[in-house]
Every structure is written in structure tokens, then in C-alpha cells.
């Protein structure tokens, strides 16, 4: 898709990766609205983008719909939805508290799904038929990891849903699923529960932003790990 002039909502723009993507798209000429939960960080990002901000509680489907509607109203439609929300949680499968498991699925799967459902009618009517939803799941969808069963399962659920969505909406809009590895965003230090198992050295988040920008600006449907390399395809 053509990024210059695109009308974009970035959900999760108060996080490291979401903010970098919002700023990167803005610098390439897109009109970007930021959505996130932290009011102070959201105000900072919105000021950098020169647009209004949308408060977002990703575990509330009504909040997801309101954020999408608010962004579409301000921009006069949506060409691109970027979902960069997420939460980590660690623990053995049989030991994780039910409340933590439920929140992991709400934040990592159900919330992103609700955002995409709300945005679908808008991106289906995007300029030049280039509507796109770009969602960050995780490499855990491909490589479920011990000590991260529920976290892995939530990401796998999202990735599977996106795969089916791509088939169902192939004539309406493009679905881009990014499944990056462990990153240097500090997400593992802000886990809902437990301590992270031994993880590989983090990939710089700038590499993911670069790959995402390439993917969004082209026709790719995935950003994935191929061995030790992050590839766009």
C-alpha cells in the first residue's frame, strides 16, 4: 500500500514498538492517530503525530470499537489498522492462576480481534482498495515455549484467527501478521505473573519496525523468523 497520505490507527501506541511504528508511519507521510491506555504517554505520542488521541482499554470490546470509530471520524476513514498491544505472563501450564490466563487471552487475542472487527468495515472501503490490518502476534505462535504455555497459546490463537481472516477477507483487505521474536522492549520485565525463563538475546525493536514498514508499504502478509533471520514475505 502507499503509506504517504494513508489514514492510520495504531493501537498500542504507548508501548515501545507501537510508538516507533506510529512515528515511522507519520514520518513517511501517513496521518496517524494513536490509541493506548497510559494517558501521559498517549498525550506525548499524539503531540508528536499532530492528531487527536484515543484512549484504549484492549480488554474492553466497547473501548476497542470506540477507539476505531474515533480515529475514523477524525481521519475521514481508515486505510490501515496497526495492532501492537500485548502482555506477557510466565508460569507452568498447570500452575498459572486462572485470572492471569484469562487476561493473557484477553490482551493478546480477544482484544486484537475486537479491534480488527471494528476496523474491518473501514479498511474494506480504503482508498485504491489497499486497506490493510497489520497485527503483531509473536514467534511463540510458531514456537510454543515451556514456562510460557498460556502466553504461547494466546499468541497462537491470534495467529490462527488472522490466517483464517486472510482467507475470508481476501477480496476486502490485506491481513499482515507479524510474529517477531523476543525483543528489547522490556515486555518480559512487566509480566502479569511469574518470571521469564531463559530467553535468547533480544532482537532490537528497530529491526522489527523496519521490517513492518517494508511489509506495510508492499504486499507482504507476514513478518516471520526464518532460522535466525527476520523476513518479510
Amino acid at each position: 500500500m502507499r503509506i504517504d497520505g494513508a489514514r492510520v490507527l495504531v493501537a498500542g501506541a504507548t508501548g515501545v514498538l507501537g510508538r516507533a511504528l506510529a512515528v515511522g508511519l507519520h514520518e513517511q507521510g501517513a496521518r496517524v492517530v494513536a490509541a493506548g491506555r497510559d494517558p501521559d504517554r498517549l498525550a506525548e505520542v499524539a503531540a508528536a503525530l499532530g492528531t487527536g488521541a484515543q484512549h484504549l482499554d484492549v480488554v474492553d470490546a466497547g473501548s476497542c470499537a470506540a477507539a476505531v470509530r474515533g480515529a475514523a471520524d477524525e481521519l475521514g476513514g481508515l486505510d490501515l489498522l496497526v495492532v501492537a498491544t500485548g502482555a506477557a505472563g510466565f508460569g507452568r501450564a498447570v500452575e498459572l492462576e486462572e485470572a492471569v490466563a484469562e487476561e493473557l487471552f484477553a490482551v493478546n487475542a480477544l482484544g486484537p480481534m475486537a479491534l480488527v472487527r471494528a476496523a474491518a468495515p473501514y479498511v474494506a472501503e480504503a482508498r485504491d482498495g489497499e486497506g490493510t490490518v497489520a497485527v503483531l502476534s509473536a514467534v511463540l505462535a510458531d514456537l510454543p515455549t515451556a514456562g510460557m504455555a498460556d502466553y504461547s497459546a494466546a499468541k497462537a490463537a491470534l495467529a490462527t484467527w488472522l490466517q483464517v481472516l486472510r482467507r475470508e477477507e481476501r477480496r476486502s483487505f490485506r491481513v499482515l501478521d507479524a510474529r517477531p521474536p523476543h525483543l528489547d522492549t522490556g515486555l518480559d520485565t512487566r509480566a502479569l505473573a511469574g518470571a521469564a525463563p531463559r530467553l535468547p538475546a533480544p532482537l532490537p525493536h528497530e529491526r522489527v519496525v523496519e521490517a513492518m514498514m517494508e511489509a506495510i508499504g508492499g504486499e507482504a502478509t507476514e513478518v516471520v523468523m526464518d532460522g535466525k533471520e527476520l523476513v518479510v514475505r
Side-chain angles (χ1 to χ4, degrees):
M1 71 177 296
R2 181 164 53 91
I3 294 176
D4 185 30
R7 301 163 296 179
V8 183
L9 170 63
V10 177
T14 53
V16 175
L17 198 54
R19 178 171 184 156
L21 285 166
V23 171
L25 290 163
H26 169 70
E27 289 176 345
Q28 289 198 18
R31 298 166 58 207
V32 184
V33 169
R37 186 172 62 175
D38 185 287
D40 294 332
R41 284 184 289 179
L42 185 59
E44 291 176 6
V45 178
L49 301 176
T51 52
Q54 294 294 322
H55 178 265
L56 172 65
D57 181 356
V58 75
V59 302
D60 181 343
S63 177
C64 292
V68 169
R69 186 169 57 251
D73 287 347
E74 177 174 352
L75 300 173
L78 284 178
D79 303 304
L80 170 65
L81 168 70
V82 177
V83 181
T85 59
F90 308 108
R92 291 173 62 85
V94 298
E95 297 174 356
L96 197 71
E97 294 182 4
E98 292 297 335
V100 176
E102 290 174 4
E103 188 163 0
L104 284 171
F105 274 83
V107 174
N108 293 311
L110 298 179
M113 292 175 190
L115 284 162
V116 173
R117 286 192 188 99
Y122 297 103
V123 295
E125 298 296 327
R127 63 174 190 178
D128 302 325
E130 292 188 328
T132 300
V133 295
V135 183
L136 285 126
S137 54
V139 72
L140 293 175
D142 301 317
L143 299 171
T145 302
M148 306 166 70
D150 291 78
Y151 187 17
S152 299
K155 292 296 188 179
L158 177 59
T160 298
W161 188 84
L162 291 170
Q163 184 178 12
V164 175
L165 177 73
R166 184 181 298 119
R167 295 172 187 164
E168 293 178 344
E169 303 300 332
R170 62 190 180 280
R171 294 184 178 87
S172 300
F173 53 84
R174 177 170 57 126
V175 177
L176 170 60
D177 178 17
R179 303 192 294 278
H182 174 49
L183 302 176
D184 62 353
T185 59
L187 186 65
D188 56 309
T189 67
R190 303 186 297 274
L192 299 177
R198 185 175 181 179
L199 298 171
L203 186 74
H205 71 275
E206 292 89 353
R207 178 67 187 93
V208 177
V209 173
E210 176 185 338
M212 286 289 291
M213 295 295 291
E214 177 187 344
I216 290 169
E219 299 180 353
T221 58
E222 291 184 314
V223 176
V224 297
M225 294 301 294
D226 184 358
K228 295 184 179 180
E229 297 296 323
L230 188 67
V231 298
V232 175
R233 63 187 190 192

